Amino acid sequence: MSHKNISESGLDEKRGLLETNIDINGSKEKSEKASIAKKSFGHKDNELGSKVGVFSAMLTIVGTIIGGGIVGIPFATLQTGIWLVLVVHTLNFIWGIYSVHLLLEAKDISGLSSFSELGYYCFGRASIFIINSLIVLAQGGMPIVYFMIVGDIGNGLLEHFESIKGKFWSSRQFSILVVAVLLFYFAVKKEIQELKGAGFVLLCGVVLFIIAMVVLVIKEGTDKFEFGEVSKPKFSISMLANIPTLFVSYAFQSAFFPVFSSLETKTKANGIKATAMSFTFCAVVYIVVSIVALLVYGNDLSANVLENVSHMDGWIPIVVDIVFLIIIMMHIPIVLFVGKEALLIIIDEIMRKSYSVKPRVTVDDAYNLRDSVMRPEGAGDSEGKAYLSMNPILFYSVSVILYCLIVTAACLLSDITLVFGIIGSIAGSYLIFIGPSQFYIISVRNEKANVSPLQYYIAHIYHIFGLIVMIACLFATIYTTVKD
């Protein structure tokens, strides 16, 4: 895509306007701060840099969503009941789309397009650290789970070789380290659109995984499947404790703005279209894999369906393990990107106050400045990506250290069910319900935006519902763990 030439005088004029209107001490009204931001993002002549279409954006979202849910949702389906899980999937689709709608509305009203900046606009500078810490916890914790699954798969595959059975070379730690080395290049990428190829491979891997599972059903039969038993709703504390798995399997909202900013044509319709396509694909995958797993294993289904697969003989289980290993390997870099971005935002804010003080420029100016000699020292990219201009040594050091900590935790931990349940309850509820509704409600209030009263009250109800869900799921997770 060709770059528009922006004159130096035009840049100076814009910088002057921004510097004149933004009070770096925070004494100006938030609405004025938002007004300046809206002027900054309102420039639509041309979008520069590497951009993607709706389908590529859909692949990125799918890569963010699909992962451990494939092996965890079948057990959640068993504990909840097929019909009730279908209802939850439908609700996840509906309120997932609604959460994106709220984020886009908040973006248009406030002019801000990252979780960090919206948090600062709504709650002050402390929110930059709180919100991004939550994202780091969730998106940094999920790759730990994925690496642990990689270790279990690798251990199961390598145990077939008698010469190394029981040795370090067949251990889960060895498999984790090998995959970590293979993914290192992707773990330090700067832009999420640079990972779109991984999303395509992930899509192909998911299709192959489903095919392999269907072949497994044909080969093993369905003797253990009792539809009446696994289909009826099971209202219990155990059922509620499995809800976080279903929530987290659709939670990608913290990655929405980076994906949206990579769109070639950034409109509400395209953002919602990419999300709807992603949710549809993921729902179909989750439902098909759950039904197939239940057909084969019935009530003997484990919390991780790959544990059942690994104890089976023949070449089909090996194929299933290998395909899922590919899926996880393609998923880790995309999920890790979001957590890494949140951590870099925290560090950049501590060091340069990039999100609470510095003037912002348009995306056109940001890309031109980054690629030209006109770039002033310390200038930041827009759309929530000021960290891209931080010292490269610091950027890559943080990326490498975070990656090493994740890999180390995966090697040392053997069971993080309780931690994952707590992270799922908090992060899933916040990303899907609480965060988007808060951003919208406060943006409307600060800007005195003319919106439908019904839409405003629905957002309030949505926010309260999210708080109830978070508390209930946390209680169920802790209670079930203590009871067991």
Side-chain angles (χ1 to χ4, degrees):
M1 186 176 293
S2 61
H3 287 208
K4 175 181 284 188
N5 293 324
I6 299 180
S7 65
E8 185 171 358
S9 60
L11 287 177
D12 290 339
E13 182 179 351
K14 287 186 178 182
R15 290 192 194 101
L17 175 63
L18 291 170
E19 291 168 358
T20 300
N21 285 276
I22 295 181
D23 183 345
I24 64 174
N25 293 320
S27 59
K28 293 287 186 181
E29 293 293 328
K30 289 180 179 178
S31 59
E32 183 176 348
K33 206 180 271 189
S35 177
I36 298 299
K38 281 189 283 188
K39 291 179 182 178
S40 176
F41 286 110
H43 192 77
K44 299 181 180 179
D45 292 342
N46 194 17
E47 300 295 343
L48 302 176
S50 176
K51 298 297 177 181
V52 300
V54 173
F55 182 74
S56 293
M58 182 271 286
L59 290 180
T60 302
I61 296 174
V62 167
T64 304
I65 296 175
I66 286 187
I70 292 184
V71 298
I73 284 184
F75 183 74
T77 302
L78 176 64
Q79 295 296 309
T80 307
I82 292 177
W83 295 123
L84 186 56
V85 160
L86 290 177
V87 172
V88 175
H89 281 301
T90 302
L91 291 175
N92 273 331
F93 181 93
I94 294 173
W95 54 47
I97 296 296
Y98 182 62
S99 67
V100 168
H101 167 73
L102 290 177
L103 290 174
L104 288 171
E105 288 291 315
K107 175 185 180 295
D108 286 348
I109 294 172
S110 68
L112 304 174
S113 56
S114 80
F115 261 64
S116 297
E117 293 170 317
L118 280 169
Y120 176 76
Y121 167 72
C122 293
F123 306 110
R125 185 170 183 253
S127 65
I128 297 177
F129 306 108
I130 296 173
I131 291 175
N132 282 286
S133 295
L134 182 64
I135 295 174
V136 171
L137 183 65
Q139 303 298 91
M142 290 170 68
I144 295 176
V145 176
Y146 300 150
F147 271 118
M148 292 175 67
I149 295 175
V150 165
D152 293 335
I153 293 174
N155 175 250
L157 292 173
L158 294 175
E159 285 288 326
H160 288 85
F161 298 93
E162 292 294 334
S163 60
I164 62 174
K165 187 174 182 180
K167 299 181 180 179
F168 171 74
W169 311 111
S170 66
S171 66
R172 55 188 301 275
Q173 287 81 7
F174 176 73
S175 298
I176 292 172
L177 292 174
V178 170
V179 172
V181 171
L182 293 175
L183 296 181
F184 179 79
Y185 170 75
F186 297 99
V188 296
K189 299 292 284 184
K190 274 194 170 186
E191 300 267 21
I192 197 169
Q193 57 259 37
E194 294 182 73
L195 300 175
K196 59 184 178 182
F200 179 75
V201 176
L202 172 67
L203 180 65
C204 296
V206 169
V207 174
L208 289 175
F209 179 75
I210 293 176
I211 293 174
M213 290 294 292
V214 171
V215 173
L216 192 61
V217 171
I218 296 174
K219 179 177 180 294
E220 297 296 325
T222 60
D223 296 337
K224 297 181 180 180
F225 180 73
E226 298 180 8
F227 182 78
E229 178 66 23
V230 300
S231 63
K232 64 182 181 181
K234 302 176 179 66
F235 297 99
S236 64
I237 293 293
S238 297
M239 179 274 292
L240 190 58
N242 282 278
I243 292 297
T245 301
L246 298 171
F247 283 160
V248 171
S249 297
Y250 285 91
F252 85 105
Q253 285 75 1
S254 59
F256 175 73
F257 282 126
V259 173
F260 186 76
S261 70
S262 71
L263 281 172
E264 185 174 3
T265 305
K266 290 186 287 189
T267 63
K268 286 183 181 179
N270 282 343
I272 292 178
K273 183 178 179 181
T275 304
M277 290 168 58
S278 305
F279 281 4
T280 300
F281 178 82
C282 293
V284 170
V285 168
Y286 291 148
I287 293 170
V288 170
V289 172
S290 296
I291 292 177
V292 168
L294 288 170
L295 285 172
V296 178
Y297 305 112
N299 289 322
D300 296 332
L301 186 64
S302 301
N304 179 354
V305 67
L306 293 179
E307 292 183 13
N308 296 96
V309 175
S310 63
H311 288 90
M312 301 178 67
D313 297 324
W315 62 271
I316 296 180
I318 295 177
V319 171
V320 172
D321 282 341
I322 292 175
V323 171
F324 194 79
L325 183 62
I326 295 174
I327 293 174
I328 287 293
M329 289 178 65
M330 293 299 100
H331 187 66
I332 288 175
I334 301 176
V335 175
L336 179 62
F337 174 88
V338 181
K340 180 182 70 175
E341 181 182 57
L343 180 60
L344 289 167
I345 287 174
I346 292 174
I347 294 174
D348 201 41
E349 173 64 19
I350 292 174
M351 298 185 65
R352 303 190 302 176
K353 296 185 177 180
S354 299
Y355 298 88
S356 59
V357 172
K358 289 192 174 183
R360 302 165 56 81
V361 293
T362 66
V363 65
D364 302 56
D365 298 347
Y367 276 109
N368 272 276
L369 288 171
R370 188 173 65 186
D371 298 333
S372 72
V373 295
M374 293 193 304
R375 179 180 181 83
E377 183 178 359
D381 286 346
S382 64
E383 302 204 42
K385 295 185 178 182
Y387 65 85
L388 288 176
S389 65
M390 72 193 311
N391 187 307
I393 296 178
L394 180 60
F395 177 92
Y396 289 110
S397 296
V398 171
S399 301
V400 171
I401 291 173
L402 176 64
Y403 190 59
C404 290
L405 288 174
I406 289 172
V407 173
T408 301
C411 289
L412 297 178
L413 297 176
S414 58
D415 183 12
I416 56 171
T417 304
L418 174 61
V419 178
F420 188 67
I422 293 175
I423 292 175
S425 299
I426 298 174
S429 299
Y430 182 81
L431 294 177
I432 297 174
F433 302 104
I434 302 172
S437 58
Q438 284 180 333
F439 295 155
Y440 172 76
I441 291 169
I442 297 177
S443 294
V444 170
R445 186 186 307 157
N446 287 350
E447 299 304 315
K448 298 179 175 60
N450 185 18
V451 299
S452 166
L454 178 61
Q455 183 175 345
Y456 186 68
Y457 293 135
I458 290 176
H460 274 283
I461 295 173
Y462 191 69
H463 178 248
I464 295 172
F465 178 70
L467 292 172
I468 295 174
V469 167
M470 181 180 69
I471 295 171
C473 289
L474 271 174
F475 170 78
T477 300
I478 297 173
Y479 176 83
T480 303
T481 304
V482 173
K483 182 180 178 182
D484 294 341

